[in-house]
Amino acid sequence: MSNFHPMQLNRRTFLTRSGVGLGSAALSSLLASDGQAAKTGDQPRGVPGQPQFPDLPQKVKRVIFLCMAGGPSHLETFDNKPILSKMDGKPVPSSYTDGQPIAQLQGKELKCLGSITKFKKYGQSGQEISDYLPWHAKMADDICIVRSLVTEQINHDPAHTFMNTGTVISGRPSMGAWVNYGIGSETDELPGFVVLSSVGGRNPQPIAARQWGSGFLPSRYQGVQFSSTGDPVNYVRSPNGVGVGQQRHLVDAIGDLNRHHQNAIGDPEIANRIAAYEMAFRMQMSVPELTDMSDEPQHILDMYGAKPGDGSYASNCLLARRLAERGVRFIHLYHRGWDHHNGLAQYMDVCCNLTDKPTYALLTDLKQRGMLEDTLIIWGGEFGRTPMSQSNKGNVGRDHHIKGFSMWLAGGPVKGGLTYGATDDLGYNSVENVVHVRDLHATMLHMLGISPEHLSVKFQGLDMRLTGVEPARVVKEIMT
C-alpha cells in the first residue's frame, strides 16, 4: 500500500499535465467504449446512447443548428408587416407594450419602424422572403418558416442559455449533450457534438462554452468546439519525433492506470477520462483528414463561397457537411454579429452577405447527396427584434424582442414550403399557432426518435428534461 500512494500522486500529476497536452479539456466528451476494446478493434462502430432510445420512429439521424447569434430581425427576413410599414414613425399603441419586458428601450418613446426592405413571394409555395435573402428565396419550397416563436429571456446570454438548455439556470445539459446521451452518435473517431463559430456584423456577442456543456450528464456528451482557423483542436497533431506507436502505447498505459483506479473506487468519471484519451488518439488520426479540403471539387467550394481555414461561416458550413457525413450527431454553428441596435441597414447587409449563400449551399449540398432526408436543419437566433425603432443619431436599429420572432426548419419530415404561425399586425406578439422554445426542443427530439417526456435524468430529486417540467408540444403540423 505504501508503494501505491506515491504512484497515484505521480499519476494524477501526469494525467493533468498530459491531459492539457492532448487537449482533453475539449475532448472530455465523447466515447463510451473503453481503451482495451480500442486496442483489439472489436468494438461496434459509433457511440451508443441509452438502451431504451430511440423509442419512436427515427425520422432524422442528425441535427445542424445554425444559430444567428445576436437575434436577427424577423421584420427584415421572414415576417412581412405592411401595417407596421404604414405606421412608420408613429407611436406604438400602448396596448402592445404596457407591462411588457423591454431591453434597452425601457422608459423611452416607442415609435414604429417599418421594414427597411421589400418582400416578395417565391417558389411554388409563395413563401414571403425579404430582399436581404436572395439565396434563401431559391430554397423557399424546402424550408418551413415558423413565424410564431416565443422565448422567455430578453438578454443575450440568458436567452442563449434558454435556447440551448431549456432553462435559464446555468450549468444544465445542452441540446447536443441531451441528444448524444439519448441516442449516441454514429462515429467513434470524432465527437458526437461539435461546435463551430464565425464572426461578422455588429457587436458580436461572446458565446460561453457552457452553452454546449453536459451539465449533470456524463462529461463525454459535452460539445467540443473546433477552431475555425489553424488546428481545429489544440495539440491534435503528434509532437515532432513522436510516432503513432508511441502515442498508442502512452494511451494504453494511461488507460490501464485509470482502469486500475476505477476498479478501486468506482468513480464513473474515470471511465469518461479513459474515453477522452481514446478519443484524443483517434482524433489525431481523423481530424487532419476531416479538415483537409483538397478533395473538395472547386465547384463545391465556389457554391459555398468557402476558403477553407479562413474562419468564415461559409467554410464552417462546408465543414458541417463533412462532419455530418462522418456520423457526428449534433453540429452547432454560431455566427456572431446580429445584434442590430443601430446600423440596421448596414449590418443586415453584412450578416446576410456572409450567411445567406452558404446556408443555401449547405442545404443544397445535403439534398444532392441524399442526406437532407435524414438531417434536420434549424436556423434562427436566441430571440427577434422589436417593431419599435431604436436610433442613434438617425442610425436606426431594433431592440431585443421575445414575444414573436421567426425561425425555419428543413430536412427529414419537415414540410418544405410551409409558413406556420403568425404574429400580430405589428409583428409584436405571436398570436397564431404559437411555438415556445420548449416546443421546438420537443419537436426536434421527436424527429430524432426520442419521446421528449421519456428523456429524463434524476438530478437533485427531480426528473430533469430538456423540455422542462412544463408541458411542451410536438409541432406535428409542420411534419409530413
Side-chain angles (χ1 to χ4, degrees):
M1 209 51 181
S2 60
N3 292 331
F4 181 70
H5 288 294
M7 183 190 75
Q8 271 193 308
L9 293 173
N10 291 338
R11 170 184 154 281
R12 286 174 181 157
T13 302
F14 172 68
L15 287 175
T16 300
R17 291 176 180 172
S18 60
V20 173
L22 284 171
S24 66
L27 298 171
S28 65
S29 25
L30 306 169
L31 196 60
S33 59
D34 64 16
Q36 187 63 38
K39 285 191 289 185
T40 60
D42 59 0
Q43 82 275 26
R45 176 76 172 167
V47 180
Q50 304 310 298
Q52 67 268 37
F53 296 113
D55 60 343
L56 295 172
Q58 194 171 35
K59 298 178 180 180
V60 297
K61 292 182 178 179
R62 67 194 69 86
V63 177
I64 301 176
F65 198 112
L66 306 175
C67 178
M68 305 297 109
S73 167
H74 54 298
L75 302 166
E76 271 73 40
T77 52
F78 302 110
D79 200 357
N80 186 20
K81 292 298 175 187
I83 292 178
L84 177 66
S85 294
K86 290 180 181 179
M87 292 182 64
D88 186 63
K90 296 179 181 179
V92 177
S94 60
S95 59
Y96 283 86
T97 58
D98 282 352
Q100 297 299 310
I102 298 174
Q104 296 183 14
L105 283 173
Q106 191 71 49
K108 298 182 179 180
E109 185 179 12
L110 303 179
K111 293 185 177 181
C112 292
L113 175 63
S115 179
I116 62 171
T117 189
K118 302 295 184 183
F119 285 76
K120 298 184 182 69
K121 294 183 178 181
Y122 294 96
Q124 293 182 349
S125 57
Q127 295 218 84
E128 286 190 290
I129 297 173
S130 90
D131 291 350
Y132 277 119
L133 298 170
W135 292 92
H136 272 71
K138 297 175 184 292
M139 54 185 186
D141 291 333
D142 292 311
I143 65 176
C144 172
I145 299 171
V146 181
R147 289 179 173 173
S148 52
L149 265 294
V150 296
T151 187
E152 296 184 5
Q153 297 298 318
I154 202 164
N155 290 310
H156 295 287
D157 186 76
H160 278 295
T161 302
F162 195 80
M163 179 65 72
N164 291 329
T165 70
T167 176
V168 72
I169 300 172
S170 296
R172 294 290 173 82
S174 54
M175 291 183 284
W178 274 114
V179 168
N180 273 273
Y181 172 79
I183 56 176
S185 69
E186 296 182 315
T187 176
D188 50 17
E189 296 177 349
L190 291 166
F193 177 15
V194 173
V195 178
L196 298 163
S197 179
S198 56
V199 178
R202 181 193 177 278
N203 191 26
Q205 296 285 334
I207 304 292
R210 57 184 167 74
Q211 299 293 353
W212 48 88
S214 57
F216 48 73
L217 299 178
S219 59
R220 65 169 64 102
Y221 299 113
Q222 73 183 35
V224 175
Q225 185 177 19
F226 278 22
S227 298
S228 299
T229 58
D231 285 339
V233 179
N234 291 337
Y235 312 111
V236 73
R237 302 181 191 275
S238 297
N240 292 335
V242 178
V244 174
Q246 292 170 290
Q247 289 284 95
R248 179 72 265 174
H249 180 73
L250 174 66
V251 173
D252 289 346
I254 295 170
D256 289 341
L257 288 169
N258 270 316
R259 275 184 290 277
H260 181 82
H261 191 51
Q262 184 183 26
N263 290 336
I265 68 172
D267 183 354
E269 275 301 307
I270 296 176
N272 292 327
R273 181 167 291 181
I274 294 170
Y277 277 96
E278 286 295 334
M279 178 58 75
F281 178 75
R282 292 188 179 116
M283 287 178 70
Q284 286 181 318
M285 308 296 111
S286 61
V287 168
E289 182 273 334
L290 166 73
T291 57
D292 180 4
M293 303 290 186
S294 61
D295 60 343
E296 294 288 347
Q298 188 61 45
H299 75 273
I300 293 293
L301 297 176
D302 292 343
M303 181 171 71
Y304 282 88
K307 297 179 180 177
D310 64 357
S312 67
Y313 177 82
S315 294
N316 285 347
C317 281
L318 178 54
L319 186 57
R321 191 218 78 206
R322 292 171 69 90
L323 288 164
E325 286 179 310
R326 288 158 176 79
V328 176
R329 182 72 72 186
F330 201 100
I331 305 159
H332 206 147
L333 271 61
Y334 292 89
H335 183 77
R336 300 186 294 124
W338 292 87
D339 190 22
H340 301 162
H341 291 280
N342 54 46
L344 182 61
Q346 174 188 353
Y347 290 113
M348 280 297 297
D349 263 332
V350 171
C351 288
C352 292
N353 285 337
L354 290 172
T355 63
D356 183 31
K357 180 180 178 181
T359 300
Y360 162 83
L362 175 60
L363 185 147
T364 302
D365 203 3
L366 291 170
K367 188 176 181 180
Q368 66 191 14
R369 292 169 190 269
M371 294 177 63
L372 187 60
E373 62 191 33
D374 59 9
T375 301
L376 173 63
I377 303 176
I378 303 173
W379 183 102
E382 67 271 35
F383 42 53
R385 313 301 295 194
T386 57
M388 301 89 79
S389 172
Q390 186 174 8
S391 64
N392 180 17
K393 296 181 180 179
N395 192 8
V396 297
R398 297 187 187 276
D399 200 0
H400 309 167
H401 191 62
I402 65 174
K403 293 292 186 178
F405 61 103
S406 299
M407 299 180 73
W408 62 255
L409 298 85
V414 175
K415 292 179 181 177
L418 175 67
T419 300
Y420 183 81
T423 54
D424 57 37
D425 289 340
L426 300 189
Y428 194 97
N429 290 295
S430 292
V431 294
E432 179 184 310
N433 294 323
V434 179
V435 178
H436 192 279
V437 166
R438 294 191 185 96
D439 302 331
L440 177 69
H441 292 158
T443 304
M444 175 189 71
L445 293 176
H446 179 88
M447 292 188 204
L448 287 161
I450 303 171
S451 297
E453 64 274 14
H454 293 167
L455 182 61
S456 67
V457 170
K458 185 75 73 176
F459 178 70
Q460 296 180 340
L462 297 174
D463 290 325
M464 297 293 189
R465 302 182 182 90
L466 172 62
T467 53
V469 296
E470 297 181 22
R473 72 182 180 102
V474 174
V475 189
K476 294 185 179 180
E477 298 90 339
I478 69 170
M479 293 182 279
T480 56

